[in-house]
Coordinates of all heavy atoms in Angstrom, one line a residue:
P17 N 8.9 69.8 -19.6 CA 7.7 69.9 -20.5 C 6.9 68.6 -20.5 O 7.5 67.5 -20.6 CB 8.3 70.1 -21.8 CG 9.6 70.8 -21.5 CD 10.1 70.1 -20.3
F37 N 25.2 81.6 -23.9 CA 26.1 81.2 -24.9 C 26.3 82.3 -26.0 O 27.5 82.5 -26.4 CB 25.6 79.9 -25.6 CG 25.8 78.7 -24.8 CD1 26.4 78.7 -23.6 CD2 25.4 77.4 -25.3 CE1 26.6 77.6 -22.8 CE2 25.6 76.3 -24.5 CZ 26.2 76.3 -23.3
A39 N 26.5 85.5 -25.5 CA 27.4 86.4 -24.9 C 28.8 85.8 -24.9 O 29.8 86.5 -25.1 CB 27.0 86.8 -23.5
M41 N 30.1 83.6 -27.0 CA 30.6 83.6 -28.3 C 31.0 85.0 -28.8 O 32.1 85.1 -29.4 CB 29.5 83.0 -29.3 CG 29.2 81.6 -29.1 SD 28.0 81.0 -30.3 CE 28.7 81.5 -31.8
Q52 N 43.9 87.2 -34.3 CA 44.1 86.9 -35.7 C 44.8 88.0 -36.5 O 45.6 87.8 -37.4 CB 42.7 86.6 -36.4 CG 42.8 86.0 -37.8 CD 41.4 85.7 -38.4 OE1 40.5 86.6 -38.3 NE2 41.3 84.5 -38.9
K54 N 47.0 89.8 -35.4 CA 48.4 89.9 -35.1 C 49.2 88.6 -35.5 O 50.4 88.5 -35.4 CB 48.6 90.1 -33.6 CG 48.0 91.3 -33.0 CD 48.1 91.4 -31.5 CE 47.4 92.7 -31.0 NZ 47.5 92.8 -29.5
W92 N 44.6 63.6 -28.1 CA 44.5 63.8 -29.6 C 45.5 62.8 -30.3 O 45.7 62.9 -31.5 CB 44.9 65.2 -30.0 CG 43.8 66.1 -29.9 CD1 42.9 66.5 -30.9 CD2 43.3 66.9 -28.7 NE1 42.0 67.3 -30.4 CE2 42.2 67.6 -29.1 CE3 43.8 67.0 -27.4 CZ2 41.5 68.4 -28.2 CZ3 43.1 67.8 -26.5 CH2 42.0 68.5 -26.9
S95 N 44.9 56.5 -33.2 CA 45.0 55.0 -33.0 C 45.9 54.4 -34.0 O 45.8 54.7 -35.2 CB 43.6 54.4 -33.1 OG 42.8 54.9 -32.1
K106 N 39.0 63.2 -34.2 CA 38.1 62.4 -35.0 C 36.7 62.4 -34.4 O 35.7 62.4 -35.1 CB 38.6 61.0 -35.2 CG 37.7 60.1 -36.1 CD 38.3 58.7 -36.2 CE 39.6 58.7 -36.9 NZ 40.2 57.3 -37.1
F122 N 39.1 82.0 -24.8 CA 37.7 81.9 -24.3 C 37.4 82.9 -23.3 O 38.1 83.1 -22.3 CB 37.4 80.5 -23.7 CG 36.0 80.1 -23.8 CD1 35.5 79.5 -25.0 CD2 35.1 80.3 -22.8 CE1 34.2 79.1 -25.1 CE2 33.8 79.9 -22.9 CZ 33.3 79.3 -24.1
L126 N 32.4 90.6 -22.5 CA 33.2 91.6 -23.2 C 33.8 92.5 -22.2 O 33.2 92.8 -21.1 CB 32.4 92.4 -24.2 CG 31.9 91.7 -25.5 CD1 30.9 92.5 -26.2 CD2 33.1 91.4 -26.4
I163 N 28.7 73.6 3.6 CA 29.7 74.5 3.0 C 31.1 73.8 3.1 O 31.5 73.3 4.1 CB 29.8 75.8 3.7 CG1 28.5 76.6 3.5 CG2 30.9 76.6 3.2 CD1 28.4 77.9 4.1
W170 N 47.3 74.4 -9.4 CA 47.9 75.3 -10.3 C 48.7 74.5 -11.4 O 49.5 73.6 -11.0 CB 48.9 76.3 -9.6 CG 49.5 77.3 -10.5 CD1 48.9 78.1 -11.4 CD2 50.9 77.5 -10.6 NE1 49.9 78.9 -12.0 CE2 51.1 78.6 -11.6 CE3 52.1 77.0 -10.0 CZ2 52.3 79.1 -11.9 CZ3 53.3 77.5 -10.3 CH2 53.4 78.6 -11.3
R174 N 48.8 81.4 -15.6 CA 48.4 82.5 -14.7 C 47.0 82.2 -14.1 O 46.1 81.8 -14.7 CB 48.4 83.8 -15.5 CG 48.1 85.0 -14.6 CD 48.2 86.3 -15.5 NE 47.9 87.4 -14.7 CZ 46.7 87.9 -14.6 NH1 45.7 87.3 -15.2 NH2 46.5 89.0 -13.9
I188 N 49.0 74.2 -4.2 CA 49.1 75.6 -4.7 C 48.0 75.6 -5.8 O 48.1 74.8 -6.8 CB 50.5 75.9 -5.2 CG1 51.5 75.9 -4.1 CG2 50.4 77.3 -5.9 CD1 52.9 76.2 -4.5
R231 N 27.6 85.4 2.8 CA 27.6 85.7 1.3 C 26.9 84.6 0.5 O 26.1 84.9 -0.4 CB 29.0 86.0 0.8 CG 29.5 87.4 1.3 CD 30.7 87.8 0.5 NE 31.9 87.0 0.5 CZ 32.9 87.1 1.4 NH1 32.8 88.1 2.3 NH2 33.9 86.3 1.4

Side-chain angles (χ1 to χ4, degrees):
F37 282 0
M41 290 181 56
Q52 189 180 49
K54 301 176 182 178
W92 278 269
S95 300
K106 183 180 294 185
F122 207 84
L126 288 167
I163 293 180
W170 183 54
R174 184 175 178 273
I188 300 178
R231 289 198 294 269

